[in-house]
């Protein structure tokens, strides 16, 4: 009963976040987030989940448009997803206008790649189908594109600045 209640609470919080982040697109943002610092902070908290996974970091100094809290949720969702599927390693590349998080887990069927960011669409080991919808909502609201792609062995997610005139 306790496990079920915890899962339900997490799902409700994810639904509320998805709805809340829908309002981001209506605002203009002058604030930026230090992504190098944020990623380093989130990694510290997720390493304990699976200490058998190696994190390979190539982080440059980068500041992304938007508030820290939504970006923290994006990074946490992407890393949680990467950890769920990784065999042995996760690679994180941060550049001035781009972030890539890649794992060495199984590839995603091409047909599923098209729908990953839709709410309630879950992968094989997915939980609620809301994490990647939140990633997309936040990224797009702040002027970034997000995509998923297959590697020869693994899967990657990229957030790339597309720019918006109102910034």
């Amino acid at each position: 009963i306790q496990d079920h209640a915890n899962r339900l609470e997490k799902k409700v919080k994810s639904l509320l976040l998805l709805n809340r982040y829908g309002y981001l697109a209506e605002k203009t943002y002058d604030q930026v987030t230090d992504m190098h610092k944020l990623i380093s902070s989130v990694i510290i908290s997720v390493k304990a989940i699976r200490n058998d996974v190696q994190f390979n970091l190539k982080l440059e100094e980068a500041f992304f448009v938007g508030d820290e809290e939504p970006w923290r949720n994006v990074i946490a969702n992407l890393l949680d997803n990467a950890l769920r599927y990784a065999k042995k390693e996760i690679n994180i590349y941060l550049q001035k206008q781009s972030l890539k998080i890649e794992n060495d887990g199984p590839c995603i069927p091409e047909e599923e790649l098209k729908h990953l960011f839709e709410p309630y669409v879950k992968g094989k080991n997915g939980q609620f189908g809301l994490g990647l919808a939140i990633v997309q909502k936040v990224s797009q609201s702040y002027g970034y594109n997000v995509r998923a792609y297959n590697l020869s062995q693994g899967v990657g997610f990229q957030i790339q600045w597309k720019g918006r005139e109102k910034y």
Side-chain angles (χ1 to χ4, degrees):
I1 292 173
Q2 184 64 41
D3 288 343
H4 184 66
N6 289 339
R7 283 195 328 272
L8 192 57
E9 179 182 8
K10 186 175 179 181
K11 189 173 191 175
V12 168
K13 285 181 180 179
S14 293
L15 283 168
L16 291 172
L17 281 174
L18 183 62
N19 187 44
R20 180 172 163 221
Y21 292 155
Y23 295 105
L24 292 176
E26 300 171 5
K27 298 173 78 176
T28 300
Y29 288 89
D30 298 325
Q31 187 170 348
V32 293
T33 296
D34 181 341
M35 293 300 279
H36 184 287
K37 180 179 173 185
L38 180 62
I39 290 167
S40 299
S41 169
V42 174
I43 286 173
I44 290 170
S45 64
V46 299
K47 272 187 175 180
I49 295 171
R50 284 197 52 201
N51 59 7
D52 61 320
V53 174
Q54 173 70 38
F55 283 85
N56 303 311
L57 308 176
K58 189 170 183 182
L59 306 178
E60 296 178 7
E61 184 175 294
F63 294 87
F64 280 20
V65 172
D67 297 326
E68 183 177 312
E69 181 203 343
W71 281 123
R72 178 177 297 281
N73 201 288
V74 164
I75 302 304
N77 277 323
L78 289 175
L79 287 176
D80 181 53
N81 197 36
L83 281 169
R84 190 175 304 124
Y85 296 101
K87 292 177 186 172
K88 294 184 180 185
E89 68 180 17
I90 293 173
N91 300 309
I92 303 175
Y93 308 97
L94 177 64
Q95 296 177 316
K96 186 176 180 178
Q97 298 181 346
S98 175
L99 168 65
K100 289 182 183 179
I101 297 178
E102 301 174 341
N103 69 66
D104 61 349
C107 291
I108 299 170
E110 288 299 319
E111 187 58 34
E112 289 181 28
L113 278 176
K114 299 174 189 175
H115 303 287
L116 276 181
F117 297 100
E118 295 173 12
Y120 311 111
V121 173
K122 298 188 300 185
K124 182 179 175 186
N125 295 325
Q127 293 181 330
F128 306 122
L130 295 171
L132 292 178
I134 290 170
V135 167
Q136 183 179 45
K137 180 81 71 174
V138 171
S139 299
Q140 288 182 343
S141 295
Y142 286 142
Y144 295 80
N145 286 323
V146 62
R147 70 182 184 101
Y149 54 93
N150 284 316
L151 303 163
S152 58
Q153 292 184 350
V155 173
F157 290 89
Q158 180 181 23
I159 297 173
Q160 177 75 44
W161 172 250
K162 65 180 175 183
R164 282 166 72 176
E165 291 181 19
K166 65 180 183 178
Y167 294 122

